[in-house]
Amino acid sequence: MCPVGVRTSHSTHALETGVAKLWLLLVGVNQYEDEQIPGLHYSALDCQGLGEALNAATQGFPQKEVMIYHDFGEQQPKLENIRTSLQQIAAASKPIDTVIFYFSGHGMLDSLSQQVVLCLQDTQKEQLTNTGLKLQELLQLLENCSAQQQLLILDACHSGGMTLLGARGETDPQLNPTPELVEVLRKRAARRKGFYALLSCDRGQQSWEFPQLGHGVFTYYLIQGLRGEAADSVGVIEADGLYRYVYHQTLTYIDKANQQLRVINQLKKGRGDNSIHSEYPSQTPKRIVEGVGEVILGLRPQQIPSSQHPRQALIVEGLPKSKHSLDLSKILSNTRSFEVNYWTVRGKNPQSDVRKAIQKCLLSPSFAESTTPKAATTVLLYLRGQICETELGEARLVLSEDIFIERSWLRKQLRRCRSQQIIILDCPEQQGFGTVSVRDWVEELQIGLDAGQCLITAAVPANDSEQFAHTLAETLTQGLQPTGLTAAAWITQLQMQLTQTNIQLYFWLSGSQGIIEILPGTTLFSVENLHTKPENTDNFKPDDLSSAVGIDYTYLRDLLKNKRWLEADQETTKLIIKASGRKEESFLEMKDVINFSCKDLYTIDNLWVNYSYGHFGFSVQQRIWQSIKDTSATDPLLALMIGSTKVAASETCIDFANRVGWRLKDSWVDYENLVWQGDAPIGHLPYFGFLEQVWRVKLLGVWEWHSAIATASWWELCVALFSRLETCQVGESDTG
């Protein structure tokens, strides 16, 4: 569940002055002595990496004690070691102290006692309760601890392994104790204020490991958050802000992985290969806490600037010259997605210099030595020129009259490159020479299934030689969203944009080690980010305030421009009701939603998206809905009573509300308690105040808050709004 932020004072005085002590106990287990318990790849690295991140974040806290146990450490993650450390903390801690316990490894459910057990290095599957750390024992030891602030972080429902070539996981039901884990922790949280639990996944899910990240996805984003990405506007990192960051980043990463799989599967089908990869199941981090309080984890560490940007781009503009090549360069540079080098090939640039520039981009020696934890080293190479073939059958890309690149030479450089590759060939045809084929270039430049590579080539008609470069720049501009733009999503956009043109588009996408991103996502979880203007917004078009029904949107624009989110939301509700032709203080019905003016819907959405820099808006909410809309009903008993369609709608509605922060601790948040200061989850606003909140309708004289039927009915109206937006986007000429 993604909550509305818990309001706290963020006081770190006791920790910074040494009055309070921070106790850290971190455990990670890769390999088990019992061969019946499958090994993991990254749990020890998770533990090690989290320890380093916590050490950096807590440098300003003079009183702290760190105990780390993992496969690569001096102290091994054995039961007696962990138990002794917990007893030591319980005996020595004071009420003002904070205790953080982290575990990464397998959690199992004992079949006889139904107890959840954390598996340590010396745990025996046949004697779980005697050789593992029982969750109840862990909680009892923490209960004996007088520290009032306690954070329990469990990454304990591992799949066993996953790559970017399809999901796979353990089938042993004992290895997924999440339902029991959640129930035990809920009971504990209800009894003690100041107890806070973060789980890597929700009921019925598993925790995944990804090779590109070098960690489990949950712990990877814990580490990134502690490195400063989850800090608030004054640099404080606390549990609630860290959870919101990890929640959204985990969901976004898996969604991007699925985007890439869909394109790879599309390519496989096109080649007659039926070995289609399954998409990755959801992993939704979960928070369990009762009461209002804060658990301070640290302060934003001082960032050490890197000597070189881990993402390098080279834009080489050959003949014929294109005014849009420079646009492409500016977009990549202004968004800080790449360090960009722009070349215009003319006579003054000899062929050897062009080749050296390409080699410098692809083969930079610092890439091989890079240890950057945040982003994979990536190169983007854009080449604009004309394809030809010599009398001896040698394929060339001609950049100018006397400068060219052989396909065989380029293939050799790509095979030597160790970074993720994004290679774009923009090939205008020569007037009077007919259509050229770029398919062979795509086939010849591929470097293997496991390598991270995106190839995009286009044969462009001579009479419209600017079209492809223009479309590249246009789709990149459209991709300027907080979640970023993956290579897979870019390819999909290009396919859609070029469907009605004569451009021949061919592409290739591969990579089992990670997601290829064109525009990496930005972190928009703190107040400061939502109030910071991106560099590229100077190029945005003036506000379109047009209306098909005579509505004046000037006041709404001014409210949004000044970040007055509450008043803007109330104004949005009023204007939508007015635009639909209904009386004030009424609500839209299904027919109103279905027939709502496209022009007005576009205007309202654009204003919200532009002035929140992609954080709020109906289209932002629509993308969240699209990522979860195919959810099937998970409650078979309720499905028998009211039908699986209504159950699925109700569950999807609740999932959506959790993600955008309209629900908190399994209850709907009252309107006045929504987040109006800016540090809200993505898609939090605008609120659907123009739709009657049907879960509050009075049934048989009783206020019914959790009726699945009522929730499903309200969700149908929400889906109708998202569908209307989709319809309007397809038919842009519709004016209402």
Side-chain angles (χ1 to χ4, degrees):
M1 175 179 71
C2 183
V4 175
V6 174
R7 295 284 164 250
T8 63
S9 64
H10 290 319
S11 172
T12 62
H13 181 74
L15 287 166
E16 288 184 284
T17 58
V19 174
K21 185 172 182 177
L22 182 63
W23 300 84
L24 302 171
L25 176 53
L26 314 178
V27 183
V29 188
N30 269 7
Q31 300 300 321
Y32 295 87
E33 294 175 2
D34 186 348
E35 294 182 356
Q36 293 185 74
I37 304 177
L40 295 166
H41 298 292
Y42 299 110
S43 287
L45 289 173
D46 286 351
C47 182
Q48 190 176 40
L50 189 68
E52 293 170 358
L54 279 167
N55 267 322
T58 58
Q59 284 182 352
F61 301 162
Q63 291 295 317
K64 67 178 177 183
E65 186 161 343
V66 184
M67 308 171 190
I68 302 182
Y69 302 93
H70 56 75
D71 297 56
F72 310 135
E74 295 180 6
Q75 299 291 323
Q76 293 297 293
K78 294 181 180 289
L79 176 60
E80 191 57 37
N81 289 338
I82 311 307
R83 187 178 279 158
T84 300
S85 294
L86 285 166
Q87 291 169 345
Q88 178 186 340
I89 293 172
S93 60
K94 300 175 182 178
I96 200 172
D97 293 349
T98 297
V99 175
I100 299 175
F101 177 87
Y102 168 83
F103 174 81
S104 179
H106 281 306
M108 298 186 75
L109 186 67
D110 182 63
S111 56
L112 295 177
S113 65
Q114 292 297 295
Q115 290 191 73
V116 177
V117 179
L118 303 183
C119 297
L120 300 167
Q121 194 176 69
D122 51 350
T123 298
Q124 300 296 310
K125 188 175 181 181
E126 300 301 328
Q127 301 181 53
L128 270 182
T129 55
N130 294 327
T131 59
L133 180 62
K134 298 185 289 293
L135 181 61
Q136 289 289 11
E137 179 186 359
L138 170 62
L139 295 178
Q140 185 58 54
L141 287 166
L142 291 175
E143 185 72 31
N144 297 339
C145 173
S146 59
Q148 294 299 307
Q149 303 297 327
Q150 300 180 3
L151 174 61
L152 187 64
I153 307 175
L154 299 179
D155 194 355
C157 299
H158 283 275
S159 65
M162 177 186 246
T163 72
L164 280 176
L165 288 181
R168 56 187 175 88
E170 302 299 332
T171 57
D172 189 341
Q174 279 188 279
L175 285 173
N176 193 358
T178 315
E180 292 78 12
L181 192 67
V182 169
E183 191 59 34
V184 172
L185 294 175
R186 277 192 188 286
K187 291 178 180 178
R188 170 59 188 274
R191 293 201 313 267
R192 180 163 183 169
K193 180 182 176 181
F195 177 81
Y196 203 118
L198 292 181
L199 306 183
S200 61
C201 57
D202 207 339
R203 301 170 190 261
Q205 298 178 347
Q206 290 181 307
S207 183
W208 304 111
E209 299 179 330
F210 287 88
Q212 178 194 24
L213 303 180
H215 294 282
V217 62
F218 171 74
T219 299
Y220 174 79
Y221 285 114
L222 281 178
I223 294 170
Q224 294 305 119
L226 288 166
R227 284 181 170 145
E229 292 197 6
D232 66 10
S233 57
V234 294
V236 175
I237 304 168
E238 50 86 30
D240 194 55
L242 180 63
Y243 169 67
R244 290 202 310 274
Y245 169 80
V246 172
Y247 178 95
H248 284 287
Q249 295 297 96
T250 300
L251 266 62
T252 298
Y253 189 88
I254 292 177
D255 180 55
K256 288 179 177 180
N258 283 332
Q259 290 177 5
Q260 186 157 311
L261 268 183
R262 291 183 200 114
V263 174
I264 291 174
N265 284 338
Q266 178 187 347
L267 288 166
K268 290 170 74 70
K269 289 178 181 177
R271 297 179 174 216
D273 186 347
N274 294 321
S275 57
I276 303 303
H277 304 302
S278 300
E279 293 189 14
Y280 307 140
S282 296
Q283 179 182 338
T284 309
K286 190 171 185 65
R287 183 192 83 156
I288 299 173
V289 63
E290 294 290 341
V292 177
E294 63 180 352
V295 179
I296 299 296
L297 302 179
L299 306 174
R300 181 192 287 119
Q302 183 177 359
Q303 301 296 320
I304 301 174
S306 173
S307 59
Q308 181 175 4
H309 198 300
R311 296 167 58 86
Q312 299 287 310
L314 175 63
I315 309 297
V316 180
E317 182 194 355
L319 295 176
K321 184 177 179 181
S322 168
K323 62 183 179 181
H324 295 293
S325 299
L326 185 58
D327 293 339
L328 185 66
S329 175
K330 287 180 178 179
I331 293 170
L332 295 175
S333 180
N334 289 344
T335 57
R336 300 178 183 173
S337 302
F338 290 89
E339 183 176 291
V340 181
N341 191 3
Y342 179 76
W343 273 63
T344 301
V345 177
R346 296 294 180 267
K348 63 180 180 180
N349 295 324
Q351 181 159 310
S352 60
D353 287 352
V354 175
R355 294 193 177 205
K356 286 178 182 177
I358 293 173
Q359 288 177 321
K360 182 180 178 181
C361 176
L362 296 175
L363 309 174
S364 176
S366 64
F367 274 21
E369 303 162 6
S370 175
T371 57
T372 175
K374 178 174 172 54
T377 55
T378 305
V379 296
L380 184 149
L381 176 62
Y382 169 87
L383 299 173
R384 178 176 169 85
Q386 295 172 331
I387 289 177
C388 73
E389 192 170 295
T390 67
E391 294 180 358
L392 298 176
E394 182 182 58
R396 292 178 174 178
L397 182 67
V398 179
L399 302 175
S400 70
E401 292 181 0
D402 55 354
I403 298 177
F404 59 86
I405 296 171
E406 299 93 345
R407 187 170 67 197
S408 58
W409 179 87
L410 181 58
R411 181 175 66 242
K412 182 179 179 180
Q413 309 314 311
L414 295 182
R415 292 184 181 277
R416 292 173 61 196
C417 177
R418 292 294 175 263
S419 305
Q420 287 186 337
Q421 304 173 12
I422 303 163
I423 312 299
I424 305 164
L425 302 183
D426 181 358
C427 306
E429 299 167 357
Q430 298 183 59
Q431 194 75 40
F433 280 80
T435 304
V436 300
S437 174
V438 294
R439 184 195 293 268
D440 291 345
W441 283 73
V442 173
E443 297 292 335
E444 289 295 317
L445 296 181
Q446 293 171 22
I447 58 175
L449 292 174
D450 291 334
Q453 186 185 45
C454 171
L455 297 172
I456 301 174
T457 66
V460 187
N463 60 359
D464 198 8
S465 63
E466 295 281 323
Q467 180 62 41
F468 183 60
H470 170 72
T471 304
L472 288 174
E474 184 180 44
T475 49
L476 279 181
T477 302
Q478 293 169 355
L480 295 174
Q481 301 293 340
T483 54
L485 178 68
T486 64
W490 198 25
I491 287 171
T492 302
Q493 287 188 27
L494 290 171
Q495 286 180 295
M496 293 173 62
Q497 294 269 32
L498 299 174
T499 300
Q500 303 300 320
T501 71
N502 293 322
I503 295 175
Q504 294 183 45
L505 179 69
Y506 295 97
F507 59 88
W508 169 257
L509 186 62
S510 64
S512 63
Q513 298 301 304
I515 299 164
I516 302 176
E517 298 197 80
I518 309 297
L519 303 175
T522 56
T523 304
L524 288 173
F525 295 92
S526 61
V527 178
E528 59 186 320
N529 289 322
L530 194 52
H531 289 268
T532 301
K533 179 182 178 182
E535 290 184 13
N536 61 314
T537 55
D538 289 335
N539 297 323
F540 284 176
K541 297 178 182 178
D543 294 321
D544 180 1
L545 302 180
S546 57
S547 169
V549 291
I551 302 294
D552 183 1
Y553 291 106
T554 305
Y555 184 50
L556 175 61
R557 188 269 314 275
D558 293 342
L559 290 172
L560 289 168
K561 190 173 184 178
N562 290 287
K563 315 303 178 194
R564 293 160 63 179
W565 306 117
L566 172 59
E567 295 165 272
D569 189 74
Q570 293 170 339
E571 178 71 4
T572 298
T573 295
K574 185 177 76 173
L575 293 177
I576 285 180
I577 292 172
K578 184 177 180 181
S580 67
R582 301 191 69 83
K583 297 179 180 179
E584 290 186 21
E585 299 182 2
S586 62
F587 301 100
L588 270 62
E589 296 179 356
M590 182 62 76
K591 62 180 181 181
D592 302 313
V593 178
I594 294 174
N595 297 310
F596 196 85
S597 159
C598 283
K599 186 180 288 290
D600 290 77
L601 190 59
Y602 178 83
T603 297
I604 294 169
D605 180 56
N606 247 21
L607 289 173
W608 274 97
V609 171
N610 288 346
Y611 284 107
S612 68
Y613 309 131
H615 201 89
F616 300 142
F618 293 133
S619 57
V620 176
Q621 296 164 338
Q622 180 198 40
R623 286 194 296 274
I624 297 173
W625 164 66
Q626 287 172 334
S627 71
I628 62 175
K629 66 179 182 179
D630 296 325
T631 303
S632 301
T634 61
D635 189 332
L637 183 59
L638 190 58
L640 286 173
M641 298 170 59
I642 66 172
S644 59
T645 302
K646 282 187 170 59
V647 173
S650 175
E651 292 176 346
T652 304
C653 175
I654 290 172
D655 187 9
F656 177 86
N658 285 337
R659 294 182 187 222
V660 300
W662 293 353
R663 285 170 58 87
L664 174 63
K665 291 186 282 189
D666 294 334
S667 297
W668 291 91
V669 177
D670 289 334
Y671 182 76
E672 59 271 18
N673 292 329
L674 294 175
V675 183
W676 306 111
Q677 282 69 41
D679 56 340
I682 291 175
H684 192 62
L685 299 173
Y687 188 70
F688 291 1
F690 44 85
L691 302 178
E692 185 173 8
Q693 300 172 29
V694 294
W695 55 83
R696 299 192 188 206
V697 297
K698 213 170 188 178
L699 300 178
L700 302 177
V702 179
W703 287 105
E704 177 58 62
W705 281 75
H706 299 290
S707 165
I709 296 176
T711 302
S713 299
W714 182 78
W715 185 241
E716 287 177 5
L717 291 169
C718 299
V719 170
L721 178 67
F722 297 141
S723 299
R724 180 59 175 162
L725 188 62
E726 210 164 40
T727 302
C728 293
Q729 290 167 340
V730 171
E732 291 181 357
S733 60
D734 182 2
T735 59

